[in-house]
Amino acid sequence: MDAAVHAPVGYLLHLADNALVLGQRNAEWCGHGPVLEEDIALTNISLDLIGQARLLYQHAASVQGEGATEDTLAYFRDAQQFRNCTLLELPHHGPLAGTAAADRDYATTIARNFLYSQLMVLLWGALAGSRDAQLAAIAAKSLKEVRYHLRHARDWLVRLGDGTDESHARMQAALDHLLPYTQEFFIASPDEAAAGADGTGVDTRSLQPDWDRAVDEALAEATLRRPTPGGHVPRGKQGQHSEHLGYLLAEMQSLARAHPGATW
């Protein structure tokens, strides 16, 4: 493997932004989990994701140069510069709920973590063979973590879907809301196309049959119905985000922007 080969910075930022935004979103449950064990589990998953983001931002900063650091890439880019999938920035509730913490729905959190983790088990597995040696090493480490994330989310998906009438209805509503956003997973952005072309990245379209099969098996076990695909295809990977990302970043970046250059 050629150690001098590096994935395009935009592709590394896409992967890092995915991990950071979902890590920040899941961290909103810290201290507010439905039960103590789940509070701890979601916090640990958030820490894993933020750890993955750090490694990817460090790698991106070393490739980009120009004084970039993991902190400048995480805390001093605006929403339109982020390249995460739109699914990951959405709040923990359906489209018709308010924005208060009391409106959070754990079914939405579980459904999102399941859909994303199922993708990342496949993607990290493929990226472990990347021509970018450092990205391959990050992928191998992250794969071990995301397998646990998937097992956690899938177990709860089945438990809630095949549970009471209310838990089934709430999990179905969460899937109906979130699953259309996954169309973005399998439409390559220019950054993904460039990385796929040079062998440092992966064309996610090649992963879709396995992703579909795994999702269908889990939904059948959970007695849930897969929504009909279609509708608007989001373009968060190309910087066109929902209004929710700006609020998330405002909270996450406030301290660093208030004290630029500070260390802690």
Side-chain angles (χ1 to χ4, degrees):
M1 183 175 292
D2 185 353
V5 173
H6 297 303
V9 171
Y11 186 64
L12 296 173
L13 291 177
H14 160 61
L15 295 171
D17 292 344
N18 278 347
L20 182 66
V21 168
L22 185 58
Q24 176 72 12
R25 198 50 105 186
N26 277 337
E28 293 173 350
W29 282 107
C30 183
H32 303 279
V35 295
L36 179 59
E37 186 173 287
E38 284 306 293
D39 197 310
I40 295 171
L42 259 295
T43 301
N44 283 330
I45 290 171
S46 294
L47 290 173
D48 286 346
L49 290 168
I50 292 170
Q52 293 169 15
R54 287 197 63 196
L55 294 174
L56 290 160
Y57 283 133
Q58 289 166 6
H59 186 25
S62 69
V63 175
Q64 178 174 314
E66 302 174 347
T69 69
E70 59 178 302
D71 284 342
T72 64
L73 295 176
Y75 294 130
F76 293 95
R77 288 189 298 142
D78 297 327
Q80 67 271 20
Q81 296 175 296
F82 271 69
R83 292 295 179 265
N84 58 282
C85 293
T86 305
L87 171 74
L88 309 178
E89 69 201 37
L90 300 177
H92 303 283
H93 54 65
L96 301 180
T99 57
D103 293 326
R104 292 174 190 161
D105 187 347
Y106 204 61
T108 303
T109 301
I110 291 299
R112 172 177 30 220
N113 285 353
F114 166 70
L115 297 169
Y116 175 72
S117 298
Q118 185 59 68
L119 173 70
M120 295 310 294
V121 163
L122 300 171
L123 183 54
W124 286 135
L127 284 175
S130 170
R131 292 179 63 230
D132 181 330
Q134 191 164 344
L135 177 58
I138 294 171
K141 175 184 180 299
S142 300
L143 178 59
K144 298 175 183 176
E145 297 170 345
V146 79
R147 282 175 174 156
Y148 162 74
H149 303 171
L150 175 60
R151 184 165 64 250
H152 173 267
R154 193 184 190 284
D155 285 350
W156 274 105
L157 180 90
V158 172
R159 189 179 303 182
L160 295 175
D162 195 25
T164 66
D165 289 345
E166 179 179 354
S167 71
H168 176 89
R170 290 171 67 169
M171 185 54 75
Q172 185 64 60
L175 275 176
D176 291 345
H177 170 48
L178 296 179
L179 203 136
Y181 286 90
T182 63
Q183 295 176 98
E184 186 180 13
F185 288 172
F186 306 108
I187 298 177
S189 68
D191 292 326
E192 290 176 300
D198 71 11
T200 57
V202 173
D203 184 345
T204 53
R205 288 175 299 182
S206 67
L207 307 177
Q208 187 167 10
D210 287 340
W211 186 86
D212 282 334
R213 184 164 43 253
V215 168
D216 287 343
E217 288 175 358
L219 295 188
E221 190 175 343
T223 69
L224 293 166
R225 172 186 51 80
R226 182 167 181 165
T228 302
H232 171 69
V233 178
R235 294 162 62 91
K237 294 190 294 191
Q238 300 183 54
Q240 297 179 19
H241 295 283
S242 71
E243 70 273 22
H244 305 293
L245 182 62
Y247 292 103
L248 182 145
L249 294 181
E251 180 175 8
M252 187 188 76
Q253 297 177 336
S254 61
L255 185 61
R257 286 180 181 262
H259 303 281
T263 58
W264 49 80

